[in-house]
Amino acid sequence: MFQKARSADDGLGSPARRKLLQAGALLIALVSTHSRIAFSRDEADPHLGQSLQQLARRLFPHDQLPDEPYGEIASSLVSRASTDSKLAGILRAGVAQLDKGGLKPWMNRDEASQLAAINRIMGSEFFRLVRSACIEHLYRNKEVWQLLGYQGSSVEFGGYVDRGFDDIDWLPTRSKAK
Amino acid sequence: MSRKYEFDDSSAVVVIGSGAGGGVLGAELAFQGIDVVCLEAGERLGLADFVNDEALMFRKLTWLDPREGSGDLNPGLPAYICKTVGGTTVHWTALAMRPLADEFAALTKYGAIDGAKLMDWPIEYKDLTRYFAKAEFKMGVAGTNNWPYHPGSNNYKVLEAGARKLGYREIDMGHLAINSVARDGRPPCRQIGFCKSGCAIGAKWSTLYTEIPKAEASGHFELRPESMVVGLNHAPDGRITGVVYADKDGVIHEQKARAVCIAANSIETPRLLLNSASSLYPDGIGNANGHVGRHYMRHVFAGVAALMPGPVNFHRGIQQAGSISDERYHQAGRGFASGYHMEGAPLSPERLASVLEPNGWGRDYAELIEQYTNFSACLVVGEDLPDPENRVQLHASRKDSNGLPIPTIHYQYHANSVAMREHAQAAVNDIYAAIGAKQTFNFGAPPATHNLGTCRMATDEKEGVCDPWGQVFGTSNLFISDGSQFVSSTTANPTLTIVALAIRQAEQLGRRFVQREL
């Protein structure tokens, strides 16, 4: 949540948005897309969104999860970038960096080469930005909470006073608060 | 019934801020029959607004007006404090702890330390004993006044078992200002968790639903929420005559005042003094000796998360899962002055995923997060040292929506704090190892919730901003009423001391009003 507060100052006006849309239109003309990855958003640059979605899954792979939560991370980044040219630049350059040096675009490579490419960008601004977005979206997602065993809101159930706040049973000696 | 005061009515004391300092001070004045107008920048929420959603409540409660941090601070969010009626008492985890008696004499106790400007408080523990007791009673602090401690939660039990194995003795669920029994018209705790998101049943003490409604019922108190104070006006003789503020529509008003008490937390309090500069106070009010904004302290603050061999479910129950206090005592030979507490505290899935490793990712990392229920976590909270170069100032060019310079906050860890943090994290690691932790992870502090010392009290006006009663030097009716007064941070979480100081100040102001000194 602190990452979110930090980025709140980054908002830019609509000229940036127009620029990005133009850039996106140019890209769409250049990049051919034939991906299996679901990316339903009406988006000017499918390659960017699809790469980000795949990156999100590689960063935090939970095999039980469908594509939707990962797609949401990508679409939220792309949508923020549509009003933030600095962010748009970082995202585009980051994906270009991943794509660099291979015969195929990064997202169409095998898992091992995808991971190797991520290792090369680890710690970069792009990496930290996508990682933060992943954490913010994935781990606020109720479907993911279920997977983790996090029970979330409790007030409507009367809290945890009768629902296991002190039910630990594996400690060597039972202890009691004084 | 809540009173209404006219803008040109100068009979009321204007209190700026409604948290642990301002909310308590305002109420304690009103209970004596002294009229109070309380100006609060944030909006007034009710219990129904408090939902168990950390991200949502963070946005609703937190002070997110632009600020700039430098040094070791998060640049965009240098501190984590509240902008809401009740101030930080809405999001605090309710640890109401007394400092040790000799911690009020920090310089005497630790001796001079390079790079720090230690000073003894101009008051002693015994000057506050009575007020600590009053504060504990007012706040319903568990473990005092024959109110039972809260029962130990899972996270507490893990820490307690490990700590006992290592021979620690001072282990308890903590003096929490959360009802362990029904009292004061509020229910006992139901182990909801989400204390930091605002207590949805009002079991945790917050001025929002204790002092403020009681003050309103006294007929001597008017709360004006969404009122952001932008300046103080004064007469040629320096007497503060009125408080200028912007209401929620940005309309500027001046409320005339008999006296003014500032309790806006350690960033906004000095900012207001600096932003009120005039020909009489060219460097800001109370700043003739250049101390306003200096000696900014936090606490030494860091965490350890541990993957345990079985389920803990640390998200269940009171967030402040107990306190281990054996390491709070100053001991020679540890490589640092003063000491620290170890305080159990859970992490949400989002926080866990952020902090385990700063750049953590990949299959192993995801599998670690999937073991969420088996994690325990603990914070360390220790004494920070005052350094005049750690300070709040006005930004040279950036302005807020009212056209006033935003605050900048510079803070750098003292070597003492770094050594203490390392010692403390190692101690928590040992505790977890003693009870079979599979893996432990140290993590750094989030932006500080304890912000202190920027208008410190002193006997000699060359050494501080206000006198031992909080009265600002060089003024006749202006007072500091929050943690800005602190001379040292002590090893205790600060709220109980802030409340005790506010009760004491209200008593003294009352006497001076009766004697017509003010």
Side-chain angles (χ1 to χ4, degrees):
Chain A
M1 57 180 140
F2 302 115
Q3 283 82 2
K4 182 157 182 77
R6 234 189 344 256
S7 64
D9 270 2
D10 291 337
L12 289 173
S14 61
R17 180 189 164 82
R18 278 197 301 278
K19 240 191 217 163
L20 177 77
L21 290 176
Q22 285 160 8
L26 182 66
L27 273 171
I28 208 171
L30 297 174
V31 179
S32 82
T33 59
H34 46 81
S35 168
R36 338 178 277 303
I37 301 170
F39 189 72
S40 57
R41 208 187 140 74
D42 178 22
E43 172 43 49
D45 181 1
H47 178 69
L48 178 66
Q50 288 161 359
S51 303
L52 291 173
Q53 177 174 338
Q54 179 65 6
L55 179 57
R57 196 181 263 288
R58 288 292 180 226
L59 289 179
F60 295 94
H62 297 289
D63 292 342
Q64 300 91 322
L65 292 183
D67 283 333
E68 279 75 13
Y70 296 104
E72 280 165 24
I73 296 166
S75 52
S76 118
L77 278 169
V78 170
S79 132
R80 267 168 57 200
S82 69
T83 57
D84 181 343
S85 61
K86 185 170 168 248
L87 174 66
I90 294 167
L91 294 180
R92 280 201 307 272
V95 169
Q97 182 72 24
L98 287 173
D99 281 339
K100 216 168 80 181
L103 295 173
K104 288 186 282 190
W106 174 81
M107 55 178 267
N108 297 332
R109 297 177 204 158
D110 62 29
E111 181 172 352
S113 5
Q114 286 188 354
L115 297 182
I118 298 173
N119 262 318
R120 284 194 292 273
I121 61 152
M122 196 173 131
S124 68
E125 190 176 11
F126 168 68
F127 171 90
R128 281 182 284 129
L129 221 141
V130 177
R131 181 179 180 271
S132 293
C134 286
I135 288 174
E136 192 179 304
H137 281 266
L138 272 186
Y139 302 113
R140 278 184 202 173
N141 181 313
K142 294 203 164 68
E143 205 178 338
V144 180
W145 285 357
Q146 249 176 6
L147 177 72
L148 305 184
Y150 174 65
Q151 295 163 287
S153 179
S154 82
V155 63
E156 63 272 43
F157 307 111
Y160 291 106
V161 68
D162 301 317
R163 298 192 311 134
F165 82 101
D166 62 350
D167 66 355
I168 193 163
D169 59 5
W170 54 265
L171 286 170
T173 48
R174 299 284 295 177
S175 58
K176 226 176 149 192
K178 75 174 178 196
Chain B
M1 277 302 291
S2 179
R3 270 279 291 276
K4 288 265 173 231
Y5 297 88
E6 301 294 330
F7 292 127
D8 60 3
D9 181 346
S10 61
S11 69
V13 176
V14 175
V15 175
I16 302 166
S18 64
V24 170
L25 175 76
E28 289 286 325
L29 291 172
F31 299 156
Q32 298 175 60
I34 298 164
D35 291 323
V36 172
V37 173
C38 181
L39 302 173
E40 163 58 53
E43 55 175 335
R44 185 175 197 161
L45 302 178
L47 293 186
D49 295 307
F50 296 154
V51 293
N52 289 175
D53 182 329
E54 282 197 0
L56 176 72
M57 293 314 298
F58 174 83
R59 289 194 299 274
K60 265 197 184 182
L61 298 175
T62 307
W63 193 291
L64 296 171
D65 292 11
R67 289 171 167 172
E68 282 186 14
S70 58
D72 293 320
L73 298 176
N74 178 321
L77 191 72
Y80 173 23
I81 56 186
C82 287
K83 185 179 187 178
T84 192
V85 172
T88 53
T89 67
V90 175
H91 87 161
W92 77 313
T93 56
L95 197 44
M97 197 185 270
R98 296 186 187 196
L100 298 172
D102 60 0
E103 286 174 355
F104 287 90
L107 178 61
T108 304
K109 185 172 181 183
Y110 311 130
I113 296 174
D114 278 351
K117 201 86 180 205
L118 284 170
M119 191 169 82
D120 292 351
W121 290 55
I123 56 174
E124 294 177 46
Y125 183 87
K126 66 175 165 45
D127 298 320
L128 286 179
T129 317
R130 198 156 67 83
Y131 302 101
F132 282 132
K134 283 187 175 204
E136 286 163 347
F137 184 77
K138 175 194 283 293
M139 299 158 85
V141 177
T144 72
N145 294 284
N146 293 320
W147 294 311
Y149 280 91
H150 287 274
S153 61
N154 293 333
N155 199 29
Y156 168 79
K157 289 178 175 183
V158 171
L159 284 163
E160 192 212 16
R164 291 228 185 276
K165 274 201 155 186
L166 297 184
Y168 286 121
R169 291 221 169 91
E170 291 187 37
I171 312 163
D172 57 53
M173 262 302 285
H175 278 190
L176 297 176
I178 298 175
N179 279 356
S180 58
V181 293
R183 62 170 291 281
D184 199 27
R186 295 179 291 116
C189 176
R190 292 203 57 90
Q191 303 289 344
I192 291 166
F194 296 97
C195 307
K196 280 193 283 192
S197 304
C199 181
I201 62 169
K204 177 180 83 176
W205 179 82
S206 167
T207 54
L208 171 64
Y209 39 78
T210 59
E211 309 311 300
I212 289 167
K214 284 180 198 172
E216 288 174 326
S218 75
H220 294 283
F221 184 93
E222 180 187 350
L223 175 77
R224 286 188 207 151
E226 296 174 82
S227 300
M228 176 69 193
V229 174
V230 296
L232 303 174
N233 286 338
H234 63 80
D237 66 357
R239 187 184 163 76
I240 307 297
T241 52
V243 177
V244 184
Y245 70 95
D247 69 17
K248 68 176 183 332
D249 303 314
V251 179
I252 299 290
H253 304 280
E254 185 195 13
Q255 176 62 51
K256 295 289 184 193
R258 174 183 190 180
V260 175
C261 301
I262 315 176
N265 211 314
S266 279
I267 296 171
E268 292 304 316
T269 292
R271 180 189 180 210
L272 176 59
L273 293 177
L274 295 172
N275 267 330
S276 299
S278 66
S279 52
L280 183 64
Y281 300 113
D283 298 315
I285 300 179
N287 203 24
N289 291 293
H291 287 294
V292 172
R294 288 193 186 266
H295 309 105
Y296 168 68
M297 292 173 288
R298 318 191 306 164
H299 269 115
V300 175
F301 198 39
V304 180
L307 180 61
M308 304 310 296
V312 179
N313 287 303
F314 66 166
H315 62 280
R316 296 180 188 162
I318 291 179
Q319 291 192 302
Q320 182 74 56
S323 173
I324 303 163
S325 306
D326 301 65
E327 300 279 6
R328 80 182 296 193
Y329 306 98
H330 176 63
Q331 296 165 40
R334 286 196 300 187
F336 57 89
S338 192
Y340 57 87
H341 291 269
M342 297 175 264
E343 301 172 359
L347 297 164
S348 65
E350 184 183 347
R351 287 273 297 140
L352 185 84
S354 315
V355 303
L356 285 184
E357 288 171 30
N359 281 324
W361 68 280
R363 192 154 292 280
D364 292 348
Y365 199 67
E367 279 171 8
L368 212 49
I369 299 164
E370 285 184 9
Q371 299 177 74
Y372 178 81
T373 54
N374 287 16
F375 272 93
S376 173
C378 181
L379 296 176
V380 296
V381 180
E383 179 160 7
D384 192 16
L385 303 179
D387 172 354
E389 298 311 314
N390 288 337
R391 62 191 292 205
V392 175
Q393 290 176 281
L394 301 178
H395 197 283
S397 56
R398 268 186 86 187
K399 305 262 199 310
D400 69 9
S401 57
N402 295 309
L404 289 172
I406 67 162
T408 65
I409 305 102
H410 179 77
Y411 175 86
Q412 250 165 338
Y413 290 112
H414 191 280
N416 193 74
S417 300
V418 175
M420 184 191 296
R421 186 179 63 209
E422 284 169 6
H423 190 277
Q425 285 182 316
V428 179
N429 273 271
D430 289 345
I431 286 174
Y432 280 129
I435 201 77
K438 293 169 143 179
Q439 246 180 303
T440 53
F441 305 84
N442 290 344
F443 57 91
T449 52
H450 304 168
N451 299 274
L452 305 163
T454 51
C455 294
R456 72 180 187 182
M457 54 164 70
T459 314
D460 178 353
E461 65 183 285
K462 290 193 183 64
E463 297 297 333
V465 175
C466 60
D467 76 6
W469 295 98
Q471 182 167 342
V472 176
F473 290 124
T475 70
S476 55
N477 63 341
L478 179 65
F479 298 83
I480 305 293
S481 311
D482 60 13
S484 309
Q485 299 171 89
F486 281 36
V487 175
S488 63
S489 64
T490 85
T491 59
N493 295 44
T495 302
L496 186 78
T497 305
I498 294 172
V499 173
L501 286 170
I503 300 171
R504 172 177 170 268
Q505 190 180 55
E507 219 178 78
Q508 199 238 13
L509 284 176
R511 273 199 305 272
R512 292 177 65 183
F513 284 136
V514 170
Q515 292 162 4
R516 304 203 163 269
E517 282 178 31
L518 270 170

